[in-house]
Coordinates of all heavy atoms in Angstrom, one line a residue:
M907 N -26.5 -41.2 72.5 CA -26.9 -39.9 72.0 C -27.8 -39.2 73.0 O -28.8 -39.7 73.5 CB -27.6 -40.0 70.7 CG -28.1 -38.7 70.1 SD -28.9 -39.1 68.5 CE -29.4 -37.5 68.1
D908 N -27.5 -38.0 73.4 CA -28.3 -37.2 74.4 C -29.3 -36.4 73.6 O -28.9 -35.4 73.0 CB -27.3 -36.3 75.2 CG -28.1 -35.4 76.2 OD1 -29.3 -35.7 76.4 OD2 -27.5 -34.5 76.7
L909 N -30.5 -36.8 73.6 CA -31.6 -36.1 72.8 C -32.1 -34.9 73.5 O -33.0 -34.2 73.0 CB -32.7 -37.1 72.4 CG -32.3 -38.1 71.4 CD1 -33.4 -39.0 71.1 CD2 -31.8 -37.4 70.1
S910 N -31.6 -34.6 74.7 CA -32.0 -33.3 75.3 C -31.1 -32.2 74.8 O -31.4 -31.0 75.0 CB -31.8 -33.4 76.8 OG -30.4 -33.6 77.2
A911 N -30.1 -32.5 74.0 CA -29.2 -31.5 73.4 C -29.6 -31.4 71.9 O -30.1 -32.4 71.3 CB -27.8 -31.9 73.6
D912 N -29.2 -30.3 71.3 CA -29.4 -30.2 69.8 C -28.5 -31.2 69.1 O -27.5 -31.6 69.6 CB -29.1 -28.8 69.4 CG -30.0 -27.7 70.0 OD1 -31.1 -28.1 70.5 OD2 -29.7 -26.5 69.9
L913 N -29.0 -31.6 67.9 CA -28.2 -32.5 67.1 C -27.4 -31.7 66.0 O -28.0 -31.0 65.2 CB -29.2 -33.4 66.3 CG -28.5 -34.4 65.3 CD1 -27.6 -35.3 66.0 CD2 -29.6 -35.1 64.6
E914 N -26.1 -31.7 66.1 CA -25.2 -31.0 65.2 C -25.0 -31.8 63.9 O -24.4 -32.9 64.0 CB -23.9 -30.7 65.8 CG -23.0 -29.8 64.9 CD -21.7 -29.4 65.5 OE1 -21.6 -29.5 66.8 OE2 -20.8 -29.0 64.8
V915 N -25.6 -31.4 62.8 CA -25.5 -32.1 61.6 C -24.2 -31.7 60.9 O -23.4 -32.6 60.4 CB -26.7 -31.8 60.6 CG1 -26.5 -32.5 59.3 CG2 -28.0 -32.2 61.3
N916 N -23.9 -30.5 60.8 CA -22.6 -30.0 60.4 C -22.4 -28.6 61.0 O -23.1 -28.2 61.8 CB -22.5 -29.9 58.8 CG -23.6 -29.1 58.2 OD1 -24.0 -28.0 58.7 ND2 -24.1 -29.5 57.0
A917 N -21.3 -27.9 60.6 CA -21.0 -26.6 61.2 C -22.0 -25.5 61.0 O -22.1 -24.6 61.8 CB -19.6 -26.1 60.6
R918 N -22.9 -25.7 60.0 CA -23.9 -24.7 59.7 C -25.3 -25.1 60.1 O -26.2 -24.2 60.0 CB -23.9 -24.4 58.2 CG -22.5 -23.8 57.7 CD -22.6 -23.5 56.3 NE -23.0 -24.7 55.5 CZ -23.0 -24.8 54.2 NH1 -22.5 -23.8 53.5 NH2 -23.3 -25.9 53.6
W919 N -25.5 -26.3 60.5 CA -26.9 -26.8 60.7 C -27.0 -27.6 62.0 O -26.3 -28.6 62.1 CB -27.5 -27.5 59.6 CG -28.9 -27.9 59.8 CD1 -29.9 -27.2 60.4 CD2 -29.5 -29.1 59.4 NE1 -31.1 -27.9 60.4 CE2 -30.9 -29.1 59.7 CE3 -29.1 -30.3 58.7 CZ2 -31.8 -30.1 59.5 CZ3 -30.0 -31.3 58.4 CH2 -31.3 -31.2 58.8
R920 N -27.8 -27.1 62.9 CA -28.1 -27.8 64.1 C -29.6 -28.1 64.2 O -30.4 -27.1 63.9 CB -27.8 -27.0 65.4 CG -26.3 -27.0 65.7 CD -26.2 -26.2 67.0 NE -25.1 -26.2 67.8 CZ -24.4 -27.2 68.3 NH1 -24.6 -28.3 67.9 NH2 -23.4 -27.0 69.1
V921 N -30.0 -29.3 64.5 CA -31.5 -29.5 64.6 C -31.8 -29.4 66.1 O -31.2 -30.1 66.9 CB -31.8 -31.0 64.2 CG1 -33.3 -31.2 64.4 CG2 -31.4 -31.2 62.7
P922 N -32.7 -28.5 66.5 CA -33.1 -28.3 67.9 C -33.7 -29.6 68.4 O -34.4 -30.3 67.7 CB -34.1 -27.2 67.9 CG -33.9 -26.5 66.6 CD -33.4 -27.5 65.6
A923 N -33.3 -30.0 69.6 CA -33.8 -31.2 70.3 C -35.4 -31.2 70.3 O -36.0 -32.3 70.1 CB -33.3 -31.3 71.7
A924 N -36.0 -30.1 70.3 CA -37.5 -30.0 70.3 C -38.1 -30.5 69.0 O -39.3 -30.9 69.0 CB -37.9 -28.6 70.6
E925 N -37.3 -30.5 67.9 CA -37.8 -31.0 66.6 C -37.6 -32.5 66.4 O -38.1 -33.0 65.4 CB -37.1 -30.2 65.5 CG -37.5 -28.8 65.4 CD -37.0 -28.1 64.2 OE1 -36.5 -28.7 63.3 OE2 -37.1 -26.8 64.1
L926 N -36.9 -33.1 67.3 CA -36.7 -34.6 67.2 C -37.6 -35.4 68.1 O -37.9 -35.0 69.2 CB -35.2 -34.9 67.6 CG -34.2 -34.3 66.7 CD1 -32.8 -34.4 67.3 CD2 -34.2 -34.8 65.3
V927 N -38.1 -36.5 67.6 CA -38.9 -37.4 68.3 C -38.2 -38.7 68.3 O -37.8 -39.2 67.3 CB -40.3 -37.5 67.7 CG1 -41.2 -38.6 68.5 CG2 -41.0 -36.2 67.7
E928 N -38.1 -39.3 69.5 CA -37.4 -40.6 69.6 C -38.4 -41.6 70.1 O -39.2 -41.3 71.0 CB -36.1 -40.6 70.4 CG -36.3 -40.3 71.9 CD -36.5 -38.9 72.3 OE1 -36.4 -38.0 71.4 OE2 -36.7 -38.7 73.5
R929 N -38.3 -42.9 69.6 CA -39.2 -44.0 70.1 C -38.3 -45.2 70.3 O -37.5 -45.5 69.4 CB -40.3 -44.3 69.1 CG -41.3 -43.2 68.9 CD -42.4 -43.7 68.0 NE -42.0 -43.7 66.6 CZ -42.6 -43.0 65.7 NH1 -43.6 -42.2 65.9 NH2 -42.1 -43.0 64.4
F930 N -38.4 -45.8 71.4 CA -37.6 -47.0 71.7 C -38.6 -48.2 71.9 O -39.7 -48.0 72.5 CB -36.8 -46.8 73.0 CG -35.9 -45.6 73.0 CD1 -36.3 -44.4 73.4 CD2 -34.6 -45.8 72.5 CE1 -35.4 -43.3 73.3 CE2 -33.7 -44.7 72.4 CZ -34.2 -43.5 72.8
S931 N -38.2 -49.4 71.5 CA -39.0 -50.5 71.8 C -38.1 -51.7 72.0 O -37.0 -51.8 71.4 CB -40.0 -50.8 70.7 OG -39.3 -51.0 69.5
R932 N -38.6 -52.7 72.7 CA -37.8 -53.9 72.9 C -38.9 -55.0 73.0 O -39.9 -54.9 73.6 CB -37.1 -53.9 74.3 CG -36.4 -55.2 74.5 CD -35.5 -55.1 75.8 NE -34.5 -54.1 75.6 CZ -33.8 -53.6 76.6 NH1 -34.1 -54.0 77.9 NH2 -32.9 -52.7 76.4
A933 N -38.6 -56.1 72.2 CA -39.5 -57.2 72.2 C -38.7 -58.5 72.5 O -37.6 -58.7 71.9 CB -40.1 -57.3 70.8
S934 N -39.2 -59.3 73.4 CA -38.6 -60.6 73.6 C -39.0 -61.6 72.6 O -40.1 -61.4 71.9 CB -39.0 -61.1 75.0 OG -38.5 -60.2 76.0
G935 N -38.3 -62.7 72.4 CA -38.7 -63.7 71.5 C -40.0 -64.3 71.9 O -40.4 -64.3 73.0
P936 N -40.7 -65.0 71.0 CA -42.0 -65.6 71.2 C -42.0 -66.8 72.0 O -43.0 -67.3 72.4 CB -42.5 -65.8 69.8 CG -41.3 -66.1 69.0 CD -40.2 -65.2 69.6
G937 N -40.9 -67.4 72.4 CA -40.8 -68.6 73.1 C -40.0 -69.6 72.3 O -39.5 -69.3 71.2
G938 N -39.9 -70.8 72.8 CA -39.1 -71.8 72.0 C -37.7 -71.4 71.9 O -37.1 -71.0 72.9
Q939 N -37.1 -71.5 70.7 CA -35.7 -71.2 70.5 C -35.4 -69.7 70.7 O -34.4 -69.3 71.0 CB -35.2 -71.7 69.2 CG -35.1 -73.2 69.1 CD -34.7 -73.6 67.7 OE1 -34.5 -72.8 66.8 NE2 -34.4 -74.9 67.5
G940 N -36.5 -68.9 70.4 CA -36.3 -67.4 70.5 C -36.4 -66.9 71.9 O -36.3 -65.7 72.1
V941 N -36.6 -67.7 72.9 CA -36.9 -67.3 74.3 C -35.7 -66.5 74.9 O -35.9 -65.6 75.7 CB -37.4 -68.4 75.2 CG1 -36.2 -69.3 75.6 CG2 -38.1 -67.9 76.4
N942 N -34.5 -66.8 74.5 CA -33.3 -66.1 75.0 C -32.8 -65.1 74.1 O -31.6 -64.8 74.1 CB -32.3 -67.2 75.3 CG -32.7 -68.0 76.5 OD1 -33.3 -67.5 77.4 ND2 -32.3 -69.3 76.5
T943 N -33.6 -64.5 73.3 CA -33.1 -63.4 72.4 C -33.9 -62.1 72.6 O -35.0 -62.2 73.2 CB -33.3 -63.8 70.9 OG1 -34.7 -64.0 70.6 CG2 -32.5 -65.0 70.6
T944 N -33.3 -61.0 72.3 CA -34.0 -59.7 72.5 C -33.8 -58.9 71.2 O -32.7 -58.9 70.6 CB -33.4 -59.0 73.6 OG1 -33.5 -59.7 74.8 CG2 -34.0 -57.6 73.8
D945 N -34.8 -58.3 70.8 CA -34.8 -57.3 69.7 C -34.9 -55.9 70.2 O -35.9 -55.6 70.9 CB -35.9 -57.6 68.6 CG -35.7 -58.9 67.9 OD1 -34.6 -59.2 67.6 OD2 -36.7 -59.6 67.7
S946 N -34.0 -55.0 70.0 CA -34.0 -53.6 70.4 C -34.1 -52.8 69.2 O -33.5 -53.0 68.2 CB -32.8 -53.3 71.2 OG -32.7 -54.1 72.3
R947 N -34.9 -51.7 69.3 CA -35.1 -50.8 68.1 C -35.3 -49.4 68.6 O -35.9 -49.1 69.6 CB -36.4 -51.3 67.4 CG -36.8 -50.4 66.3 CD -38.1 -51.0 65.7 NE -38.7 -50.1 64.8 CZ -38.9 -50.3 63.5 NH1 -38.5 -51.5 63.0 NH2 -39.5 -49.5 62.7
V948 N -34.7 -48.5 67.8 CA -34.9 -47.1 68.1 C -35.2 -46.4 66.8 O -34.7 -46.7 65.8 CB -33.6 -46.5 68.8 CG1 -32.4 -46.5 67.9 CG2 -33.9 -45.0 69.2
E949 N -36.1 -45.4 66.9 CA -36.5 -44.6 65.7 C -36.2 -43.1 66.1 O -36.6 -42.7 67.2 CB -38.0 -44.8 65.4 CG -38.3 -46.1 64.9 CD -39.8 -46.3 64.6 OE1 -40.6 -45.3 64.8 OE2 -40.2 -47.4 64.3
L950 N -35.6 -42.4 65.2 CA -35.4 -41.0 65.3 C -36.2 -40.3 64.2 O -36.0 -40.6 63.0 CB -33.9 -40.6 65.2 CG -33.6 -39.2 65.5 CD1 -33.9 -38.7 66.9 CD2 -32.1 -39.0 65.3
V951 N -37.1 -39.4 64.6 CA -38.1 -38.8 63.6 C -37.8 -37.3 63.5 O -37.7 -36.6 64.6 CB -39.5 -39.1 64.1 CG1 -40.5 -38.5 63.1 CG2 -39.7 -40.6 64.2
L952 N -37.8 -36.8 62.3 CA -37.7 -35.4 62.1 C -38.7 -35.0 61.0 O -38.8 -35.5 59.9 CB -36.3 -35.0 61.6 CG -36.1 -33.5 61.1 CD1 -36.3 -32.6 62.3 CD2 -34.8 -33.3 60.5
D953 N -39.6 -34.0 61.4 CA -40.6 -33.5 60.4 C -39.9 -32.4 59.6 O -39.9 -31.3 60.0 CB -41.8 -33.0 61.2 CG -42.9 -32.6 60.3 OD1 -42.7 -32.5 59.1 OD2 -44.1 -32.5 60.8
V954 N -39.4 -32.8 58.5 CA -38.6 -31.9 57.6 C -39.5 -30.8 57.1 O -39.1 -29.7 57.0 CB -38.0 -32.7 56.4 CG1 -37.3 -31.8 55.4 CG2 -37.0 -33.8 56.9
A955 N -40.7 -31.2 56.7 CA -41.6 -30.2 56.1 C -42.0 -29.0 57.0 O -42.2 -27.9 56.6 CB -42.9 -30.9 55.6
R956 N -41.9 -29.3 58.3 CA -42.3 -28.3 59.3 C -41.1 -27.8 60.2 O -41.3 -27.0 61.1 CB -43.4 -28.8 60.2 CG -44.7 -29.0 59.5 CD -45.7 -29.7 60.4 NE -46.9 -30.0 59.7 CZ -47.1 -31.1 58.9 NH1 -46.1 -32.0 58.8 NH2 -48.2 -31.4 58.3
S957 N -39.9 -28.3 59.9 CA -38.8 -27.9 60.6 C -38.4 -26.4 60.5 O -38.4 -25.9 59.4 CB -37.5 -28.7 60.1 OG -36.4 -28.2 60.8
T958 N -38.2 -25.8 61.6 CA -37.8 -24.3 61.6 C -36.3 -24.2 61.5 O -35.8 -23.1 61.3 CB -38.4 -23.6 62.8 OG1 -37.9 -24.3 64.0 CG2 -39.9 -23.6 62.9
S959 N -35.6 -25.3 61.7 CA -34.1 -25.2 61.7 C -33.5 -25.2 60.3 O -32.4 -24.8 60.1 CB -33.5 -26.3 62.6 OG -33.8 -27.5 62.0
L960 N -34.3 -25.7 59.4 CA -33.8 -25.8 58.0 C -34.2 -24.5 57.2 O -35.3 -24.1 57.2 CB -34.5 -26.9 57.3 CG -33.9 -28.3 57.3 CD1 -34.8 -29.3 56.7 CD2 -32.6 -28.3 56.6
P961 N -33.2 -23.9 56.6 CA -33.5 -22.8 55.7 C -34.4 -23.2 54.6 O -34.4 -24.4 54.2 CB -32.2 -22.3 55.2 CG -31.1 -22.9 56.1 CD -31.8 -24.1 56.6
D962 N -35.3 -22.3 54.1 CA -36.2 -22.7 53.0 C -35.6 -23.4 51.8 O -36.1 -24.4 51.4 CB -37.0 -21.5 52.6 CG -37.9 -20.9 53.6 OD1 -38.3 -21.7 54.5 OD2 -38.3 -19.7 53.5
H963 N -34.5 -22.9 51.4 CA -33.9 -23.6 50.2 C -33.4 -25.0 50.5 O -33.5 -25.9 49.6 CB -32.7 -22.7 49.6 CG -31.5 -22.7 50.5 ND1 -31.4 -21.9 51.6 CD2 -30.3 -23.3 50.3 CE1 -30.2 -22.1 52.1 NE2 -29.5 -22.9 51.4
L964 N -32.9 -25.2 51.7 CA -32.5 -26.6 52.0 C -33.7 -27.5 52.3 O -33.7 -28.7 51.9 CB -31.6 -26.6 53.3 CG -30.2 -26.0 53.1 CD1 -29.5 -26.0 54.4 CD2 -29.4 -26.8 52.0
R965 N -34.7 -27.0 52.9 CA -36.0 -27.8 53.1 C -36.5 -28.3 51.8 O -36.8 -29.4 51.6 CB -37.0 -27.0 53.8 CG -38.3 -27.8 54.1 CD -39.4 -27.0 54.8 NE -38.9 -26.4 56.1 CZ -38.6 -25.0 56.2 NH1 -38.8 -24.2 55.2 NH2 -38.2 -24.6 57.3
E966 N -36.6 -27.4 50.8 CA -37.1 -27.7 49.5 C -36.2 -28.8 48.8 O -36.7 -29.8 48.2 CB -37.2 -26.5 48.6 CG -38.3 -25.5 49.0 CD -38.2 -24.2 48.2 OE1 -37.5 -24.2 47.2 OE2 -38.8 -23.2 48.7
R967 N -34.9 -28.7 49.0 CA -34.0 -29.6 48.4 C -34.1 -31.0 49.1 O -34.2 -32.0 48.4 CB -32.6 -29.1 48.6 CG -31.5 -29.9 48.0 CD -30.2 -29.2 48.3 NE -29.2 -29.5 47.4 CZ -28.0 -29.0 47.5 NH1 -27.6 -28.3 48.6 NH2 -27.0 -29.3 46.6
V968 N -34.3 -31.0 50.4 CA -34.4 -32.3 51.1 C -35.8 -33.0 50.7 O -35.8 -34.2 50.5 CB -34.4 -32.1 52.6 CG1 -34.8 -33.4 53.4 CG2 -33.0 -31.7 53.0
L969 N -36.8 -32.2 50.7 CA -38.1 -32.7 50.3 C -38.1 -33.3 48.9 O -38.7 -34.3 48.7 CB -39.2 -31.6 50.5 CG -39.5 -31.2 51.9 CD1 -40.5 -30.0 51.9 CD2 -40.1 -32.4 52.7
E970 N -37.4 -32.6 48.0 CA -37.3 -33.1 46.6 C -36.5 -34.4 46.5 O -36.9 -35.4 45.9 CB -36.7 -32.0 45.8 CG -36.6 -32.4 44.3 CD -35.9 -31.3 43.5 OE1 -36.3 -30.2 43.7 OE2 -35.1 -31.7 42.7
R971 N -35.3 -34.4 47.1 CA -34.4 -35.6 47.0 C -34.9 -36.8 47.8 O -34.6 -37.9 47.4 CB -33.0 -35.2 47.5 CG -32.3 -34.2 46.5 CD -30.9 -34.2 46.8 NE -30.3 -33.3 45.8 CZ -29.0 -33.0 45.8 NH1 -28.2 -33.5 46.8 NH2 -28.5 -32.3 44.9
L972 N -35.6 -36.6 48.9 CA -36.1 -37.7 49.7 C -37.6 -38.0 49.5 O -38.2 -38.7 50.3 CB -35.8 -37.5 51.2 CG -34.3 -37.4 51.6 CD1 -34.2 -37.1 53.0 CD2 -33.6 -38.6 51.2
A973 N -38.2 -37.4 48.5 CA -39.6 -37.5 48.3 C -40.1 -39.0 48.3 O -41.2 -39.2 48.9 CB -40.0 -36.9 46.9
G974 N -39.4 -39.9 47.8 CA -39.9 -41.3 47.8 C -39.7 -42.0 49.1 O -40.2 -43.1 49.3
R975 N -39.0 -41.4 50.1 CA -38.8 -42.0 51.4 C -39.5 -41.3 52.5 O -39.4 -41.8 53.6 CB -37.2 -42.0 51.6 CG -36.5 -42.8 50.6 CD -35.0 -42.8 50.9 NE -34.4 -43.6 49.9 CZ -33.2 -44.1 50.0 NH1 -32.5 -43.9 51.1 NH2 -32.6 -44.8 49.1
L976 N -40.1 -40.2 52.3 CA -40.7 -39.4 53.3 C -42.2 -39.8 53.4 O -42.8 -40.1 52.4 CB -40.6 -37.9 53.0 CG -39.2 -37.3 53.0 CD1 -39.3 -35.8 52.6 CD2 -38.5 -37.5 54.3
V977 N -42.7 -39.7 54.6 CA -44.2 -39.9 54.8 C -44.7 -38.6 55.4 O -44.3 -38.2 56.5 CB -44.4 -41.1 55.8 CG1 -45.9 -41.2 56.1 CG2 -43.9 -42.4 55.2
D978 N -45.5 -37.9 54.7 CA -46.1 -36.6 55.1 C -44.9 -35.7 55.5 O -45.1 -34.9 56.5 CB -47.0 -36.8 56.3 CG -48.3 -37.6 55.9 OD1 -48.7 -37.5 54.7 OD2 -48.8 -38.3 56.7
G979 N -43.8 -35.7 54.8 CA -42.8 -34.7 55.0 C -41.9 -35.1 56.2 O -41.1 -34.3 56.6
T980 N -42.0 -36.3 56.7 CA -41.2 -36.7 57.9 C -40.2 -37.8 57.5 O -40.5 -38.7 56.8 CB -42.2 -37.3 58.9 OG1 -43.2 -36.3 59.2 CG2 -41.5 -37.7 60.2
V981 N -39.0 -37.7 58.0 CA -38.0 -38.7 57.8 C -37.8 -39.5 59.1 O -37.8 -38.9 60.2 CB -36.6 -38.1 57.3 CG1 -36.0 -37.2 58.4 CG2 -35.7 -39.1 56.9
V982 N -37.7 -40.8 59.0 CA -37.6 -41.7 60.1 C -36.3 -42.5 59.9 O -36.1 -43.1 58.9 CB -38.8 -42.6 60.3 CG1 -38.6 -43.5 61.5 CG2 -40.1 -41.8 60.4
V983 N -35.4 -42.4 60.9 CA -34.2 -43.2 60.9 C -34.3 -44.3 61.9 O -34.6 -44.0 63.1 CB -32.9 -42.3 61.2 CG1 -31.7 -43.2 61.3 CG2 -32.8 -41.2 60.2
V984 N -34.2 -45.5 61.5 CA -34.4 -46.7 62.4 C -33.1 -47.5 62.5 O -32.4 -47.7 61.6 CB -35.5 -47.6 61.8 CG1 -35.7 -48.8 62.7 CG2 -36.8 -46.9 61.6
A985 N -32.8 -47.8 63.8 CA -31.7 -48.7 64.1 C -32.2 -49.8 64.9 O -33.0 -49.6 65.9 CB -30.6 -47.9 64.8
S986 N -31.8 -51.0 64.6 CA -32.3 -52.2 65.4 C -31.1 -53.2 65.6 O -30.2 -53.2 64.8 CB -33.5 -52.9 64.8 OG -33.1 -53.4 63.5
E987 N -31.3 -54.0 66.7 CA -30.3 -54.9 67.0 C -30.9 -56.2 67.5 O -31.9 -56.1 68.3 CB -29.3 -54.4 68.1 CG -28.2 -55.3 68.5 CD -27.3 -54.7 69.6 OE1 -27.7 -54.9 70.7 OE2 -26.3 -54.1 69.2
H988 N -30.5 -57.3 67.1 CA -30.9 -58.6 67.6 C -29.8 -59.3 68.3 O -28.7 -59.4 67.7 CB -31.4 -59.5 66.4 CG -31.9 -60.8 66.8 ND1 -33.1 -61.1 67.3 CD2 -31.2 -62.0 66.9 CE1 -33.2 -62.3 67.6 NE2 -32.1 -62.9 67.4
R989 N -30.0 -59.7 69.5 CA -28.9 -60.3 70.2 C -29.4 -61.5 71.1 O -30.5 -61.5 71.6 CB -28.1 -59.3 71.1 CG -28.9 -58.7 72.2 CD -28.1 -57.7 73.0 NE -28.9 -57.2 74.1 CZ -29.7 -56.2 74.0 NH1 -29.9 -55.6 72.9 NH2 -30.3 -55.8 75.1
S990 N -28.5 -62.4 71.4 CA -28.8 -63.5 72.3 C -28.4 -63.1 73.7 O -27.5 -62.3 73.9 CB -28.0 -64.7 71.9 OG -28.3 -65.2 70.7
Q991 N -29.1 -63.6 74.7 CA -28.8 -63.2 76.0 C -27.9 -64.2 76.7 O -27.7 -65.3 76.3 CB -30.1 -63.2 76.9 CG -31.1 -62.1 76.4 CD -32.4 -62.1 77.2 OE1 -32.8 -63.1 77.7 NE2 -33.0 -61.0 77.2

């Protein structure tokens, strides 16, 4: 995914790249049997409450429907992978 470009959600909504924050991390195993494994993780963050790309009626709907999953109006999508080397 090229995060320097806008994220097209559907034909009517694009999230500007400037509103997205991405974080990448990689951790090696602690030693022993885990020494030859790698954990990779990426997080994609969107501050729904402050997003200028969402029309007001959609913002309210998202905030209501995802209320139990948001932290300070922010949605975080996490993907991780564990693999052997």
Side-chain angles (χ1 to χ4, degrees):
M907 177 177 176
D908 178 13
L909 289 178
S910 64
D912 295 347
L913 174 64
E914 184 176 343
V915 177
N916 60 34
R918 297 180 308 189
W919 183 36
R920 283 182 164 315
V921 178
E925 290 188 11
L926 297 170
V927 176
E928 69 278 356
R929 292 186 287 238
F930 301 92
S931 62
R932 179 176 296 165
S934 297
Q939 292 180 352
V941 75
N942 290 324
T943 63
T944 301
D945 294 318
S946 299
R947 174 182 170 118
V948 62
E949 296 179 359
L950 185 61
V951 181
L952 174 64
D953 190 341
V954 175
R956 293 174 185 84
S957 174
T958 59
S959 67
L960 270 171
D962 291 338
H963 71 283
L964 289 179
R965 181 182 306 103
E966 291 172 16
R967 188 181 204 182
V968 170
L969 290 172
E970 180 182 316
R971 288 195 177 179
L972 297 178
R975 297 179 182 200
L976 299 177
V977 176
D978 295 328
T980 302
V981 64
V982 179
V983 177
V984 177
S986 62
E987 179 180 89
H988 177 83
R989 66 181 183 275
S990 297
Q991 295 178 335

